[in-house]
Structure formats: C-alpha cells, structure tokens
Amino acid sequence: MIGQTRAPTLLAALVIVGFALPAVLPHAAAARSGGSANAMKAIDTDNDGTIDLTEAQAAGGATFERLDKDKDGSVDTKELQGRVSRKEMKTIDPDGDNKIDRKEYDTLVADRFKAADPDGDGKLDAKELKTSAGKNLLKLIK
C-alpha cells in the first residue's frame, strides 16, 4: 500500500516540476549571463558599449578602495579575497610582504585588461568579458 500512495505523489511532483522548469530556466540563464552585462553597464561610463583601460582602472580603483578595509593604502591577501593568485602575488609583490598598493593594483588591472583584449583594439565588449581572461579582469574591477 505504501508504494501505491507514493507513486501518485511522485507522479504529481514530476508533473509540477515539468510545468515549472521551462518557466524557470530562461530566468536562470538570464541571471547567469547578466553578470558581464551588468558589469558592463556599471563600468562603461561613456555608454559606448565597451570598456576601455581608463574605465577599467577607474572601476579597479573603486574596488581597491572598497577592499582596503583598514585604509592603510594597500591590500593584503585576506583583503583581496581570492582575486589574485599566489603566482600573480609573487610577480606584483616584489618585496614579498603579501600586500600590494594602488599602483601595483592598477598594473595588475592593466595586465588583465591586455589579456582580455586579444584583438588589441583597446576596448572590451561583452563577448570579451565572458572569456576566462575577461572574467579574471572583472574579479579586480567589480
């Protein structure tokens, strides 16, 4: 008897999911793809549909200020919250104190910008921001 009562309940649940899932999936996809689009709107201050290095560094500067919780003019690995790999940290932190200042952060933003700009036109569009290099840049500027 127990197996017989579960079957209609399971069937009803599957029917409900079957009707609900198609309605939910487009919204989930839009939310996932909206990350770079939302970032673009926030960073693209001249509203030309692209991000140039000046805009990226301005956004990076705002992020740096937000991350610098103790306001000492540098961010350490804890404040960076995983935005910079250990390998990158060694490269941009020559004195090895596990802190980078604003100038070093700007240099890292510029390096990641160049990596995300394979055509070298000095501008990143939404497609370029969706690449691995583009996502790495977004970690620093949003």
Side-chain angles (χ1 to χ4, degrees), residues 3 17 20 37 50 86 108 133:
V17 169
T50 64
R86 289 181 185 192
L108 184 57

Side-chain angles (χ1 to χ4, degrees), residues 51-120:
I51 296 173
D52 61 31
L53 181 57
T54 302
E55 291 168 325
Q57 286 185 317
T63 301
F64 180 90
E65 296 301 322
R66 191 179 75 248
L67 294 174
D68 184 13
K69 301 286 186 201
D70 58 7
K71 303 301 178 201
D72 68 349
S74 65
V75 288
D76 59 27
T77 52
K78 183 179 178 184
E79 289 170 316
L80 286 167
Q81 304 169 355
R83 287 175 167 83
V84 178
S85 71
R86 289 181 185 192
K87 182 179 177 183
E88 279 179 313
M89 192 61 145
K90 286 180 183 179
T91 303
I92 61 172
D93 179 30
D95 64 1
D97 66 351
N98 290 320
K99 291 183 177 186
I100 56 174
D101 62 23
R102 173 67 188 272
K103 183 178 177 183
E104 292 165 329
Y105 196 86
D106 286 345
T107 299
L108 184 57
V109 168
D111 290 346
R112 287 194 186 179
F113 183 93
K114 288 174 190 167
D117 186 22
D119 59 9

Side-chain angles (χ1 to χ4, degrees), residues 60 63 84 105 108-109 112 136-142:
T63 301
V84 178
Y105 196 86
L108 184 57
V109 168
R112 287 194 186 179
N136 280 336
L137 172 64
L138 289 175
K139 288 178 186 177
L140 293 179
I141 65 176
K142 69 177 227 183

